[in-house]
Amino acid sequence: MIEKMTKYSFVLLSGKAEDFLTRLESLGLVDVTRSTKPVDEKSSELFTSVGEIRKAVGKLSQADWSKDPDLERIEAAACDREFKDLPGSVSKAFARLETLMSEMAAARKACEAVRPWGRFDRQALDSLSAEGLKVRWYNVSKKKYDPSWAALQPLVEVSDNGSRVWFVTVSDDPEYSFPAEECPAPEGDLDFMQRKIESLREETIACKGEILALKKHLPELEEMAAAEEARLQRYLAEAGSGKAAENLVTTFVGFAPSDKDSYLCPEFDGMDVVYIKEDATKEDNPPIKMKGNWFTRLFSVLTDMYGRPVYDEFDPTPYISIFFTLFFAMCMGDAGYGLVLLLLGVLASRSKGSLAKFAPLVTILGGATFVMGIIFHMFFGIDISQVSWVPSWLKKCMITGTVMGYDAQMLFSIGIGVLHLCVAFILKAVYSVKRNGWGGSLATLGWTLLIVGGVLVGGFALLGVIGSSLTKWIIIVIGILSALGIFFLNDLHRNPLANFGLGLYDTYNTATGLLGDVLSYLRLYALGLAGGMLGSAFNSLGTSCLGISIPGVGIACCLLIVVFGHVLNLAMCCLGAFVHPLRLNFLEFFKNSGYEGSGRAYSPLTTGSQESE
């Protein structure tokens, strides 16, 4: 449900703007109309500052050396230190750590390359060079190496690993030829490279210690980020204000929930400001604040993924909460997987991390999956409608067999989809009348009557509630009334022939689109069936291993295959059960309900520590 908003227009002396915005911050209820992009150099600096601080907070939060083999030395290096510029120090420390890690990787690679050359005296090599002797370095394959090369030039074999040979030659002839290709001389010997690695390791430990010391200032950085965000928010509100009377007065436009009027108006009366209060309208483009119960609030994030409604639109969250839960459970289709999700939800609710906030949603989806899994008679890939230990009363709740030659579960999925679309058409008709009045909504009402009325009449006829003769006359009446709205009264101010042409065009689009929309709900049946068949396949594959004659091996292989298979299947089912129900709500439901979703979120001016919703 969308909360009703009140529009406030404020007029005050320009010199009072700063104090006024500070008072609005303390109230934490007024969303001030402002620019959402940098408007000048100062706001750009504030944006940059907020970004740097938030980036520093994110990096420090992720920094974890608990499994580092040098943990004790890192903690010893993390002594109490003073930092003048916390965000800058964090940025420099992580940049330095990244450089050190890169240099360490390069040094280790170079060390492995120089390892076959072992340890050698660089000064001795330099003395040979001073005497006019040149040392050349070679690395060839074992098959290509020929010991007789020692007769050509003085040769010393340094290393042989069975596949390659490393050797050097010494000659006073700078132009001599040799039947092997020379390789670059190593940067240093093995001792030199190991000392370099150890030096880099010491620097890395010191850098990690510095980061660990900075992590102690994480609360301070978070407070700094909140304060900078509040400064930016207030500055943008002030920069987005209108000035008049030769820059002597400033005007602001703000929005707040109407149920807060009794609290806000006395506060404004006590300020040195003139304000006008009026009910917000769609033309004012007020921010959208949605309210609901504990259940629907869990699904508000899904609505925000698409877009909040505009001010005169309906809140789709209650409908998404019901149908997304149902669709998710149908796509999973396995009671065993529902129990696993229930368990994960309970465990997450007891954690203290970020997973705790998703625990209620996971628990609800798990419970719905368990119920729908019973209805679809599937438990960890086992068809429980065929087993003897399931009570008969429970089997009566299961959807099995065929109806008119079609799989009952497939028809159930299509029926749920038709219900979903009918709800969409009803919402479209209701809010069309609310926006455009009865006269401007006759075409929408005609389509709603034709589709929803046709579905209801067809359902009652199939159930035998009404006879065939009465069904025929009701269909005729519905057809005539719908045709009047669709073909002749879709625009009362337009030529009837033009209305008829537009009605034909709408009929083609609706008929073809609606057929595709209905068939799209087959994915609910297909995903549930695929998950169940894959789970059953893993069960069969696992049980086939029980015939292995070696004691214990068959059971171990069976458990390994079944557990791994169901974990993999559960992960894939969860992915499909999230994406496809989301698609059915965002495309089929929103399209047929006429939902726009172009509203902006309610974001009141606050001190930085308050929550807007």
Side-chain angles (χ1 to χ4, degrees), residues 139 182 360 405 408 546 571:
N139 172 15
E182 184 180 356
L546 295 176

Side-chain angles (χ1 to χ4, degrees), residues 6 49 170 184 250 303 315 522:
T6 299
S49 176
V170 181
T250 301
T303 301
D315 179 7
L522 284 173

Side-chain angles (χ1 to χ4, degrees), residues 365-386:
L365 294 177
T369 300
F370 175 76
V371 173
M372 191 54 64
I374 296 295
I375 295 175
F376 281 3
H377 52 86
M378 194 62 64
F379 187 85
F380 286 118
I382 302 172
D383 186 354
I384 57 177
S385 68
Q386 303 298 322

Side-chain angles (χ1 to χ4, degrees), residues 120-129:
F120 52 85
D121 189 347
R122 173 62 66 179
Q123 291 182 351
L125 293 175
D126 292 340
S127 64
L128 290 175
S129 178

Side-chain angles (χ1 to χ4, degrees), residues 177-196:
S177 60
F178 201 76
E181 184 177 353
E182 184 180 356
C183 67
E187 180 183 348
D189 70 343
L190 187 59
D191 283 340
F192 172 80
M193 296 308 302
Q194 288 177 341
R195 286 195 302 270
K196 184 176 180 179

Side-chain angles (χ1 to χ4, degrees), residues 487-557:
F487 294 103
F488 301 105
L489 303 176
N490 48 54
D491 191 335
L492 299 177
H493 305 288
R494 191 164 49 199
N495 186 291
L497 292 177
N499 282 346
F500 185 76
L502 183 61
L504 288 176
Y505 179 74
D506 286 344
T507 300
Y508 171 78
N509 288 333
T510 303
T512 55
L514 197 59
L515 177 61
D517 292 343
V518 172
L519 293 178
S520 185
Y521 288 87
L522 284 173
R523 70 186 67 236
L524 300 174
Y525 164 71
L527 287 170
L529 179 64
M533 292 180 66
L534 193 57
S536 178
F538 282 119
N539 290 340
S540 300
L541 190 61
T543 54
S544 67
C545 297
L546 295 176
I548 298 176
S549 58
I550 303 175
V553 174
I555 296 176
C557 291

Side-chain angles (χ1 to χ4, degrees), residues 59-60 63-65 68 70-71 73-79 81 83 88-104 198-215:
K59 286 185 174 182
L60 287 178
D64 182 14
W65 320 127
D68 195 298
D70 298 314
L71 177 61
R73 298 178 63 189
I74 292 172
E75 290 177 340
C79 56
R81 300 175 57 179
F83 299 96
S89 298
V90 173
S91 178
K92 291 178 181 178
F94 276 97
R96 177 59 180 157
L97 180 61
E98 186 177 353
T99 301
L100 287 171
M101 297 300 289
S102 177
E103 291 179 356
M104 177 71 79
E198 185 61 28
S199 175
L200 289 171
R201 182 186 176 192
E202 293 295 328
E203 290 186 55
T204 302
I205 290 172
C207 187
K208 289 181 178 179
E210 181 181 357
I211 292 174
L212 201 59
L214 283 165
K215 194 169 184 178

Side-chain angles (χ1 to χ4, degrees), residues 309-331:
V310 293
Y311 193 56
D312 63 344
E313 215 170 10
F314 67 93
D315 179 7
T317 310
Y319 310 99
I320 290 178
S321 63
I322 295 172
F323 284 103
F324 181 86
T325 303
L326 176 60
F327 293 164
F328 182 94
M330 292 176 67
C331 288

